[in-house]
Amino acid sequence: MTKTINDVYMQLYKRLKAADEPQPSLAARELTAYACRVDKNKTAEWGHIYLDDATVDYAHLLCDRCLDGEPLAYILGEWDFYGLTFAVSPSVLIPRPETERLCELVIARARDRVSPRILDLCCGTGCIGIAAAHEVEDARVTAVDKFDGAVQTTRENARRLGVQGRVTVRQADVLAGPPAGMGEFDILVSNPPYVTRAEMHELDVSVSRYEPHEALYGGEDGLDFYRAICEKWIGLLVPHGMALFECGWHQAADVADLLTQHGFAGVGVTEDLAGVPRIVHGSAPRRP
């Protein structure tokens, strides 16, 4: 029997709901739109468009992958963050809603400055720095990551979102410190790897099996990258420049202590949109 797009959507929705997918309607809509190459926002038309058997089979194949635990973002090859759509791949972490509050704070700080220079360390998809460049027209961003996949993905996202002229991507190991010629920055932001050794054994299957472990593991206590940034990168901030970090739900006090120990002033903790103490920020010390 010939099926419409809406028929396929309902089939996928029922499969996902029966498997206790947390958001079966969202996942079914995204998978259906992707398989059928239609606009996910124009579902009113779906009941009038008929599909060939190959497209129906393809939609169910994608659903199989989702039911096996593969993240929806990797199946689709893109994900929405801060109102923008970013390319993603298994070489980078998927942008998450809890990071949007960090992005809001970076953009607010950038708008307070003239032609702000922003340094995005451990950039992954580049979502934080690129969103800031997209929202603040005179901002210039340098995004840094160690891994080829992240560097390539950030460059692709800068191009597809039209900010490639104001986003520079550099490959460097954040733990090793900055390469020569980085210049100075008004804002340093980082959402680094911060999962502890113990937590690495407790990750959800969709994370542990599919997302890159090197972008998750932050050392025995999860603080290796914060220490390295405080010790080796804060010299790139102008006096009174701002540093903002995302951290794990239980790490805010420890990260705040690190900033205080390294001379930051006005160190504070801000909750993410879910009320979790997620963001630590402070003003850089004066240089000797």
Side-chain angles (χ1 to χ4, degrees):
M1 180 179 175
T2 306
K3 293 183 174 62
T4 66
I5 297 176
N6 197 60
D7 292 333
V8 171
Y9 163 77
M10 289 304 302
Q11 289 177 338
L12 300 193
Y13 170 77
K14 290 174 181 177
R15 291 184 64 192
L16 292 161
K17 185 173 176 60
D20 293 324
E21 165 67 31
Q23 295 180 293
S25 179
L26 169 67
R29 179 168 59 90
E30 294 280 358
L31 292 171
T32 302
Y34 182 79
C36 302
R37 299 182 181 180
V38 294
D39 189 334
K40 65 185 179 184
N41 297 312
K42 296 182 178 179
T43 55
E45 303 172 358
W46 287 11
H48 309 290
I49 302 173
Y50 289 86
L51 303 171
D52 56 53
D53 290 343
T55 302
V56 175
D57 291 343
Y58 181 49
H60 280 279
L61 178 62
L62 296 179
C63 189
D64 290 341
R65 291 168 60 185
C66 190
L67 292 173
D68 284 341
E70 185 175 353
L72 183 59
Y74 290 154
I75 297 173
L76 303 175
E78 62 183 30
W79 201 243
D80 291 345
F81 174 84
Y82 208 77
L84 304 169
T85 301
F86 289 84
V88 298
S89 75
S91 63
V92 292
L93 292 183
I94 300 163
R96 285 167 164 78
E98 55 263 33
T99 303
E100 293 195 355
R101 180 60 178 143
L102 173 62
C103 201
E104 285 181 357
L105 293 177
V106 170
I107 290 168
R109 300 298 190 277
R111 284 178 172 154
D112 288 339
R113 297 174 182 258
V114 177
S115 300
R117 292 199 65 205
I118 301 170
L119 178 60
D120 181 2
L121 298 178
C122 304
C123 63
T125 59
C127 62
I128 299 171
I130 290 171
H134 188 271
E135 296 298 315
V136 184
E137 292 183 356
D138 62 343
R140 304 189 74 83
V141 174
T142 297
V144 177
D145 207 288
K146 176 181 178 180
F147 300 101
D148 292 341
V151 169
Q152 293 166 8
T153 302
T154 297
R155 286 179 176 149
E156 178 185 350
N157 281 323
R159 283 193 300 270
R160 65 189 280 170
L161 291 168
V163 295
Q164 68 271 29
R166 293 184 290 111
V167 175
T168 300
V169 187
R170 298 196 61 168
Q171 189 161 14
D173 183 353
V174 170
L175 293 176
M182 289 289 294
E184 293 184 325
F185 297 89
D186 301 287
I187 297 168
L188 181 157
V189 60
S190 185
N191 178 15
Y194 55 69
V195 179
T196 68
R197 184 181 298 277
E199 289 168 340
M200 288 296 292
H201 300 291
E202 302 168 357
L203 295 172
D204 184 81
V205 171
S206 66
V207 177
S208 63
R209 187 187 300 172
Y210 293 99
E211 300 204 56
H213 286 199
E214 64 271 13
L216 293 164
Y217 181 56
E220 183 70 31
D221 61 358
L223 301 177
D224 284 0
F225 284 84
Y226 304 101
R227 294 189 187 96
I229 292 170
C230 286
E231 292 168 5
K232 302 174 182 179
W233 291 83
I234 60 170
L236 301 183
L237 278 172
V238 300
H240 307 300
M242 290 296 301
L244 302 99
F245 298 93
E246 179 173 317
C247 60
W249 64 271
H250 60 297
Q251 295 171 322
D254 290 332
V255 176
D257 284 345
L258 278 173
L259 265 65
T260 301
Q261 291 166 21
H262 285 83
F264 278 80
V267 175
V269 176
T270 298
E271 295 178 345
D272 65 17
L273 300 178
V276 177
R278 178 79 62 185
I279 302 149
V280 181
H281 43 83
S283 177
R286 292 173 179 261
R287 292 174 185 164

